[in-house]
Amino acid sequence: MKEIDGGVCASQGFKAGAIACGIKKNGKLDLALVASDGPAVAAGIFTTNKVQAASVTISKQHLEKGSARAIIANSGNANACVGPEGMVAAEKMAVAAAKQLGIDADSVLVASTGVIGVPLPVEKIQLGLEKNSGFLSASGGNEAACAIMTTDTFSKEVAVEFQLAGVNVRIGGMAKGSGMIHPNMATMLGFITSDVAIEQKLLHKALKRAGELSFNRITVDGDTSTNDSLFILANGKAGNKKIASINDDYETFEEALIYVCTGLAKMVARDGEGATKFIEIKVSGADSEAAAVRAGKSVATSSLVKTAIFGEDANWGRILAAVGYSGIDFDPLTTDIYLGELLVCQGGVAVSFDEIKAKKILSEKDISITIRLSDKPNYEATIWTCDLSYDYVKINGSYRS
Amino acid sequence: MKEIDGGVCASQGFKAGAIACGIKKNGKLDLALVASDGPAVAAGIFTTNKVQAASVTISKQHLEKGSARAIIANSGNANACVGPEGMVAAEKMAVAAAKQLGIDADSVLVASTGVIGVPLPVEKIQLGLEKNSGFLSASGGNEAACAIMTTDTFSKEVAVEFQLAGVNVRIGGMAKGSGMIHPNMATMLGFITSDVAIEQKLLHKALKRAGELSFNRITVDGDTSTNDSLFILANGKAGNKKIASINDDYETFEEALIYVCTGLAKMVARDGEGATKFIEIKVSGADSEAAAVRAGKSVATSSLVKTAIFGEDANWGRILAAVGYSGIDFDPLTTDIYLGELLVCQGGVAVSFDEIKAKKILSEKDISITIRLSDKPNYEATIWTCDLSYDYVKINGSYRS
């Protein structure tokens, strides 16, 4: 498996592009379109928030038949909590994309991201698509990735190529994140393409597992969004022998998909609102994978841990305290904590460590925290997050203005 | 029932005072002592964090017999995660206090607050108590309340007087909070005295209920501390007919205790680290009290809601989203949200509201958010918190330095 360029267009038979419709006040790209040249099986996983955006509801409906040809996504407005007109607007987005592409509206998946509770000016999207045709291209992946950004500071793309029985297969993905990031089945928005030939049920299974190990293991601020959607379209253009059971090809594909999703998820964590540092939290020696995830997420969402990392302060007591209130069963007296390679807490107790070394480790952009709950092999999990800085407060103190 | 002055010394037969032992580097008061002139029944509730400070373990042991005469508490060091020497230090604190007061060491409850993982210089406390005798007085409540402050900006005291069958009874309390505040059975530290005559089991019952409705309904940063302890000593000096069953006197006492605990808890929320605003979140129309609490706490711990309030931005979508991911069962389409008296969301959908009015409401120091999940009478709960400001990040980015 190797990384390649191209984002969602890396997979054969996919085009993408973006336009500025005027939903974002600053005139930047705010509408992305991704389309497969031919039919594609599709799967999606969505936010578990009880309050769900209209785009989530519509996309779930369109996914019921297990296939889709295109994804349309706007940024600058979440199309959430606006009543029945939100459903109408989301459906209009699908219709407008379908018209442009010459396909059925129910073959279009819809996504939105931005402010909640403000009616989406869908006529701007309709007009934008009418005035701009032919903006899709096989090199438009990055443009599309840029068009779904809100407070993101960089676009997020990962693509890989690997072989299934000697046939080259590709997976390409893009995502956006930044704030309201504590995904529970998906990130804010993640779109994956592949030219693999695979049965829909297995595609969905692989997506679920990949989402579990990637987007469901990051957090920025503990707030689960109303709009989280992770889509995958697979059009079979690679020409591999269709994956129809859990065989070696399936495992290879799932591994590659996990790689792409993990890469995107880590970018989302790294680009969390106001983030100055990327934090990787490895938990091992837990009684179950779920316990390892829960402990890691408790540390990753702790405002005290996140501000300490921002301040480059080796205040490891906050890490142990966050594991302590996570609700998992563990023994503090067998718990060791490392900052980078530096042991700072052994058996739940302070060890005297070199503060200068600790300061140096914490002055880096990438911080690794290792929590060994016991020395048993047992279960482990890795969680990714970012620090909590002044800029998070600044960005979110005036998001609507 | 009327509010009176005096804090923990408001109850008859209690003395308090404080000294500076040098645990705090700035030379401020860092050791508080509260003592009953005679025997007292006692009860305590403690943090549910799996990682518990030595003071919590020792105080639980000392409380087993259901009585206590005194409370000793230091600030500047949490005496947590320091191994067996922490237990030795906590016991030494009890012994030193007992020596000063001429009572048994197991009649002393111990509490600590401050940095985790640094050995407590208990010899400073021992020396401080040896060099300073007679610093306890019937007017020392405020001094003691000041001595348990860490990043608190004001001391927290509430006292009331009420009658039981014509006899005046008093309850006095003090607390400290600020950061690592998301109590689960108690706040960081809360000490209550009363001169009521009551059986220990009923005292404990009343404390549990009062803690549930007060300290367990506040949050500053979602981090549950390792040191949370809420103590009550009741010495019977009021001379009321001893409360020995759940009768009218018990109800009156419990109501007064809830009043004192709620007053202290609200002060802790108001004085959250970096707080510029006090936020009261009322949730009604829930399926259970637990659901109302869960929804309210989800909103109260949302970094996005807290930064929006700090920025005086009426971004109510974040409030609804936080209820949405709280895990409770509710229907967004019957949910109304008010900022102060201003309806901003009706039936889960934006209503057009006067932005100038909203701005004025959010410019106040005290912000009220009302969330009606349904118009059914059902269950309700009120949660208190504060906003998330630059100063929270500043304070916690360099707590140890």
Side-chain angles (χ1 to χ4, degrees), chain A residues 44-89:
Chain A
I45 52 182
F46 299 92
T47 181
T48 54
N49 197 312
K50 278 256 175 192
V51 179
Q52 303 203 333
S55 55
V56 169
T57 311
I58 292 287
S59 294
K60 279 182 182 172
Q61 287 171 9
H62 290 188
L63 267 174
E64 271 168 21
K65 63 184 185 313
S67 64
R69 289 277 297 265
I71 301 166
I72 183 169
N74 75 277
S75 56
N77 187 307
N79 192 22
C81 309
V82 291
E85 64 176 299
M87 297 291 288
V88 174

Side-chain angles (χ1 to χ4, degrees), chain A residues 95-377:
Chain A
V95 168
K99 203 171 151 195
Q100 167 103 208
L101 298 167
I103 61 175
D104 293 336
D106 70 354
S107 289
V108 180
L109 306 180
V110 181
S112 295
T113 175
V115 67
I116 296 173
V118 175
L120 175 68
V122 68
E123 62 288 350
K124 291 188 179 175
I125 295 174
Q126 292 170 310
L127 203 67
L129 286 173
E130 274 167 30
K131 288 200 298 190
N132 297 277
S133 61
F135 65 90
L136 292 193
S137 80
S139 59
N142 183 254
E143 213 174 58
C146 290
I148 58 172
M149 290 165 63
T150 55
T151 50
D152 301 65
T153 67
F154 59 84
S155 63
K156 296 158 187 77
E157 296 178 273
V158 177
V160 296
E161 184 175 82
F162 54 99
Q163 291 203 325
L164 294 181
V167 178
N168 280 337
V169 179
R170 291 170 168 194
I171 300 176
M174 67 190 209
K176 67 86 52 191
S178 233
M180 210 178 254
I181 298 294
H182 187 78
N184 200 345
M185 280 330 290
T187 184
M188 191 83 177
L189 296 182
F191 306 146
I192 318 281
T193 62
S194 179
D195 43 27
V196 72
I198 188 170
E199 282 197 354
Q200 196 274 337
K201 274 186 187 166
L202 293 170
L203 184 69
H204 190 239
K205 181 183 168 68
L207 187 68
K208 261 185 82 168
R209 182 66 185 153
E212 193 55 54
L213 293 175
S214 58
F215 295 111
N216 281 5
R217 298 219 171 154
I218 60 168
T219 185
V220 168
D221 49 14
D223 281 86
T224 302
S225 153
T226 49
N227 288 50
D228 294 345
S229 301
L230 176 63
F231 298 145
I232 186 166
L233 306 185
N235 63 9
K237 298 262 178 187
N240 63 298
K241 187 185 166 207
K242 190 172 184 175
I243 302 173
S245 66
I246 300 178
N247 53 19
D248 285 354
D249 282 359
Y250 175 83
E251 300 295 349
T252 304
F253 170 73
E254 187 185 86
E255 190 192 330
L257 185 60
I258 289 169
Y259 183 89
V260 169
C261 288
T262 304
L264 291 171
K266 285 162 80 168
M267 286 184 196
V268 171
R270 186 180 295 281
D271 195 24
E273 278 175 338
T276 72
K277 292 177 190 295
F278 172 72
I279 308 170
E280 179 168 85
I281 300 163
K282 290 182 202 163
V283 181
S284 65
D287 288 346
S288 66
E289 186 177 319
V293 170
R294 193 165 172 183
K297 279 203 174 174
S298 186
V299 175
T301 51
S302 162
S303 295
L304 287 172
V305 172
K306 293 158 86 86
T307 47
I309 301 288
F310 170 64
E312 304 183 349
D313 181 12
N315 200 334
W316 60 266
R318 294 176 177 177
I319 297 170
L320 187 58
V323 176
Y325 66 70
S326 68
I328 72 158
D329 195 24
F330 80 109
D331 184 357
L333 299 183
T334 64
T335 300
D336 300 341
I337 299 175
Y338 294 78
L339 295 177
E341 304 287 309
L342 186 68
L343 181 69
V344 291
C345 164
Q346 188 165 34
V349 173
V351 293
S352 83
F353 58 86
D354 184 341
E355 286 275 357
I356 293 164
K357 223 177 240 175
K359 191 82 192 166
K360 194 178 169 312
I361 289 166
L362 292 174
S363 70
E364 302 290 332
K365 286 264 168 218
D366 286 33
I367 309 294
S368 152
I369 297 172
T370 303
I371 303 161
R372 289 196 193 147
L373 300 176
S374 71
D375 54 10
K376 292 174 204 142

Side-chain angles (χ1 to χ4, degrees), chain A residues 49-50 81 83 117 223-224 302 304 307 311 313 315 318 321 324-325 329 348-350 355 390 392 394 396-397 399-400, chain B residues 49-50 81 83 117 223-224 302 304 307 311 313 315 318 321 324-325 329 348-350 355 390 392 394 396-397 399-400:
Chain A
N49 197 312
K50 278 256 175 192
C81 309
D223 281 86
T224 302
S302 162
L304 287 172
T307 47
D313 181 12
N315 200 334
R318 294 176 177 177
Y325 66 70
D329 195 24
V349 173
E355 286 275 357
Y390 296 119
Y392 179 86
K394 186 175 176 183
N396 287 300
Y399 184 74
R400 294 193 319 151
Chain B
N49 198 313
K50 279 254 176 194
C81 308
D223 281 87
T224 301
S302 162
L304 287 171
T307 47
D313 182 11
N315 200 334
R318 294 175 177 179
Y325 66 70
D329 194 25
V349 174
E355 287 274 358
Y390 296 119
Y392 179 86
K394 186 174 175 183
N396 287 300
Y399 184 73
R400 292 193 321 150

Side-chain angles (χ1 to χ4, degrees), chain B residues 72-398:
Chain B
I72 184 169
N74 75 279
S75 57
N77 186 306
N79 192 20
C81 308
V82 290
E85 64 176 297
M87 296 292 288
V88 174
E91 193 59 47
K92 280 184 179 169
M93 282 175 70
V95 169
K99 203 171 151 192
Q100 167 102 205
L101 299 166
I103 59 176
D104 293 335
D106 70 353
S107 289
V108 180
L109 306 180
V110 181
S112 296
T113 175
V115 67
I116 297 173
V118 175
L120 175 68
V122 69
E123 63 288 350
K124 290 187 180 175
I125 295 175
Q126 292 171 310
L127 203 66
L129 286 174
E130 275 168 30
K131 287 201 299 190
N132 297 277
S133 61
F135 64 90
L136 293 193
S137 80
S139 59
N142 183 255
E143 213 174 57
C146 290
I148 57 173
M149 290 165 64
T150 55
T151 50
D152 302 64
T153 67
F154 59 84
S155 62
K156 296 159 186 76
E157 297 177 89
V158 177
V160 295
E161 184 176 81
F162 55 99
Q163 291 204 326
L164 294 182
V167 178
N168 279 337
V169 178
R170 291 169 169 195
I171 300 176
M174 67 189 207
K176 68 84 54 189
S178 233
M180 210 176 253
I181 298 294
H182 187 77
N184 199 344
M185 281 327 295
T187 183
M188 192 81 179
L189 297 182
F191 306 147
I192 318 281
T193 62
S194 179
D195 44 29
V196 72
I198 188 170
E199 281 197 356
Q200 197 274 338
K201 275 187 187 165
L202 293 170
L203 184 70
H204 191 239
K205 182 183 169 67
L207 187 69
K208 262 185 83 168
R209 182 65 184 153
E212 194 54 56
L213 293 175
S214 58
F215 295 111
N216 282 5
R217 298 220 170 152
I218 60 168
T219 185
V220 168
D221 49 15
D223 281 87
T224 301
S225 153
T226 49
N227 288 50
D228 293 345
S229 300
L230 176 62
F231 298 146
I232 186 166
L233 307 185
N235 63 10
K237 298 259 178 189
N240 62 299
K241 188 185 164 203
K242 190 172 186 175
I243 303 173
S245 66
I246 300 179
N247 52 19
D248 285 353
D249 282 358
Y250 175 83
E251 300 294 349
T252 304
F253 171 73
E254 188 185 86
E255 191 192 328
L257 185 60
I258 289 168
Y259 183 89
V260 169
C261 288
T262 304
L264 291 171
K266 286 163 80 168
M267 285 185 197
V268 171
R270 183 180 296 278
D271 195 26
E273 279 175 339
T276 72
K277 291 176 192 297
F278 172 73
I279 309 170
E280 179 168 85
I281 300 163
K282 289 181 203 163
V283 180
S284 64
D287 288 346
S288 66
E289 186 178 318
V293 169
R294 193 165 171 181
K297 280 202 173 176
S298 187
V299 174
T301 50
S302 162
S303 295
L304 287 171
V305 172
K306 292 158 87 85
T307 47
I309 300 288
F310 169 64
E312 305 184 351
D313 182 11
N315 200 334
W316 60 266
R318 294 175 177 179
I319 297 170
L320 188 59
V323 177
Y325 66 70
S326 69
I328 71 157
D329 194 25
F330 80 109
D331 184 357
L333 298 183
T334 63
T335 300
D336 301 341
I337 298 174
Y338 294 78
L339 296 177
E341 303 288 310
L342 186 68
L343 181 69
V344 292
C345 165
Q346 188 164 35
V349 174
V351 293
S352 84
F353 59 86
D354 184 341
E355 287 274 358
I356 294 165
K357 223 176 241 176
K359 191 84 191 167
K360 195 179 169 311
I361 289 166
L362 292 174
S363 70
E364 301 290 332
K365 285 266 168 215
D366 285 34
I367 309 295
S368 151
I369 297 172
T370 303
I371 303 161
R372 288 197 194 147
L373 300 175
S374 71
D375 54 10
K376 291 174 205 142
N378 295 9
Y379 295 91
E380 57 180 30
T382 302
I383 304 293
W384 299 282
T385 188
C386 57
D387 58 345
L388 173 56
S389 74
Y390 296 119
D391 278 354
Y392 179 86
V393 179
K394 186 174 175 183
I395 292 164
N396 287 300
S398 58

